[in-house]
Amino acid sequence: MLKDDVLKLILRENDYISGETISHKLGVSRAAVNTAVKALREDGYEITSSTNKGYLLKNSPDLLSKGSISALLPDTRAENLLYFDSVDSTNNVLKSLASEGAVSGTVVIADHQTGGKGRRGRSFASPSGAGVYLSYLFKPESGFDKISDLTSWTAVAVADAIKNAYGFDTQIKWVNDLLMNRKKICGILTEVSVEGESGFIDTCIIGIGVNVNESEFPPEISEIATSISIENGGMKFIRAKLASEIIRSMDKLASDWPGSSYYLDRYRDLNITTGSMITAYPRMAENGQGRTGTAISINDDFSLKVEFADGSVEDLKSGEVSVRGLYGYT
Ligand code: BTN
């Protein structure tokens, strides 16, 4: 869309950019540039114009769009970036694009999800104008047979993106919740397709949802969930900045995969599960009986070493754990 391209040029320029330069760069008429600028102003962008100098961006609203995100990325990255105002789930949209042959690195991002999916069949609240809801397609060159490394690497990648975008540190609750002040600000849902013959994973849809500008949560989750804004006294953040940093981090993850020790080291640094009392729930029985013990360490394969109350020591590879002191668990 021309509006996205014009926005990209105006956003990237720290000074005035002339209408002539824009029309030349985009191969469109000056009138078309004027119309695009008018539409951007209607969206809330404060763009001043001066007869001799051209256009200058004075203020940006917190709007996600292909233009606002790709302005912060290298030019070629926009090719595999799809933005929607509203979808049921970015994971679902990307899954169907993957089945039509979308390339590794394709990103689907939306301002709003009507059916955002969480782990274990739960829903993920995805209101408009508040969060970053993004799915990243990863097709490893040689298949692999366990997903835990990838979801844990992703937690590190998103933590780094938040740090780069806004300067904040986050923590990781095993296996891949990101926390700020001990409450959840980000969830990750990785869905895979497995090659029948080898059992290797060949396509991964990595779904990432970050609570950025929400000002409140429904009572049933307010003890668990928070947003970056709530934890910073109601300050609002530009989501396009975070979206672009997540894309950069995930591109780096894809090129580092599978042979970098950075992710395990950083995961261990950020993790706040070890040393705590936990209750572990086996795969399908979160509401059933859990087993209580102490989380001892993160193993090299990102599994969690736990010493249970009966003295047995086990490595948890998947499932869910409640951590004492987090999410209202006392
Ligand atoms: C969880 O913590 O339970 C995982 C939440 C994952 C939410 C993200 S938002 C983008 C992507 N699309 C979805 O439907 N879910 C993931």
Side-chain angles (χ1 to χ4, degrees):
M1 224 196 319
L2 180 63
K3 191 170 81 168
D4 284 317
D5 294 331
V6 171
L7 176 62
K8 194 158 87 175
L9 292 178
I10 295 180
L11 268 175
R12 279 185 178 172
E13 201 69 45
N14 289 323
D15 203 345
Y16 279 93
I17 179 165
S18 73
E20 197 181 329
T21 307
I22 298 176
S23 76
H24 182 71
K25 282 196 172 168
L26 300 179
V28 297
S29 68
R30 291 288 301 276
V33 173
N34 281 340
T35 309
V37 169
K38 189 163 174 280
L40 288 168
R41 284 180 176 141
E42 280 163 10
D43 287 345
Y45 288 93
E46 225 182 284
I47 301 168
T48 54
S49 49
S50 143
T51 329
N52 297 326
K53 297 193 270 189
Y55 301 107
L56 175 70
L57 182 66
K58 287 272 189 187
N59 232 323
S60 292
D62 170 38
L63 278 186
L64 283 180
S65 66
K66 184 157 177 159
S68 65
I69 302 165
S70 59
L72 305 170
L73 291 166
D75 269 338
T76 49
R77 191 58 183 88
E79 284 162 23
N80 300 318
L81 171 59
L82 290 98
Y83 169 79
F84 299 90
D85 286 333
S86 180
V87 293
D88 64 339
S89 153
T90 54
N91 271 26
N92 289 352
V93 173
L94 189 53
K95 209 178 294 175
S96 71
L97 291 170
S99 71
E100 290 158 14
V103 296
S104 193
T106 299
V107 169
V108 170
I109 180 160
D111 177 59
H112 169 223
Q113 295 184 115
T114 53
K117 299 187 292 184
R119 290 198 302 268
R120 296 181 163 231
R122 291 185 287 242
S123 60
F124 187 82
S126 315
S128 171
V132 169
Y133 318 117
L134 176 156
S135 299
Y136 188 98
L137 179 61
F138 181 50
K139 295 180 173 175
E141 279 184 2
S142 52
F144 65 108
D145 56 7
K146 62 185 164 56
I147 199 66
S148 51
D149 288 25
L150 183 63
T151 57
S152 304
W153 279 43
T154 300
V156 168
V158 178
D160 286 350
I162 293 171
K163 178 84 179 169
N164 291 338
Y166 306 139
F168 299 127
D169 292 315
T170 47
Q171 301 84 41
I172 299 175
K173 171 187 171 286
W174 191 85
V175 58
N176 63 11
D177 283 354
L178 283 191
L179 315 185
M180 203 174 245
N181 298 333
R182 306 181 77 76
K183 285 183 167 185
K184 178 166 170 172
I185 56 154
C186 167
I188 296 165
L189 173 69
T190 306
E191 299 185 82
V192 300
S193 73
V194 175
E195 191 188 80
E197 286 72 25
S198 62
F200 273 173
I201 292 162
D202 59 9
T203 300
C204 306
I205 311 280
I206 307 171
I208 299 162
V210 188
N211 303 329
V212 181
N213 285 331
E214 285 85 348
S215 46
E216 57 182 0
F217 287 88
E220 61 278 14
I221 55 168
S222 63
E223 218 172 334
I224 297 174
T226 189
S227 69
I228 297 177
S229 174
I230 291 173
E231 297 308 313
N232 287 283
M235 191 171 148
K236 298 295 179 202
F237 295 86
I238 298 286
R239 288 171 299 149
K241 177 76 183 138
L242 179 59
S244 67
E245 290 296 343
I246 293 176
I247 294 168
R248 278 180 201 278
S249 271
M250 291 304 294
D251 285 347
K252 179 170 182 319
L253 178 155
S255 75
D256 288 345
W257 181 265
S260 162
S261 59
Y262 168 75
Y263 295 86
L264 181 60
D265 294 344
R266 182 112 173 101
Y267 187 95
R268 283 177 169 146
D269 283 350
L270 299 179
N271 135 74
I272 55 160
T273 309
T274 52
S276 299
M277 286 275 293
I278 59 113
T279 300
Y281 299 92
R283 244 177 193 291
M284 300 311 293
E286 194 190 342
N287 298 321
Q289 199 65 29
R291 293 174 69 205
T292 301
T294 305
I296 300 172
S297 57
I298 302 292
N299 295 310
D300 290 355
D301 63 355
F302 294 93
S303 59
L304 183 67
K305 191 175 283 302
V306 178
E307 181 173 358
F308 286 103
D310 62 8
S312 63
V313 175
E314 286 177 35
D315 296 331
L316 304 184
K317 296 200 161 45
S318 61
E320 204 100 341
V321 298
S322 295
V323 179
R324 183 168 279 180
L326 297 180
Y327 299 180
Y329 173 36
T330 51

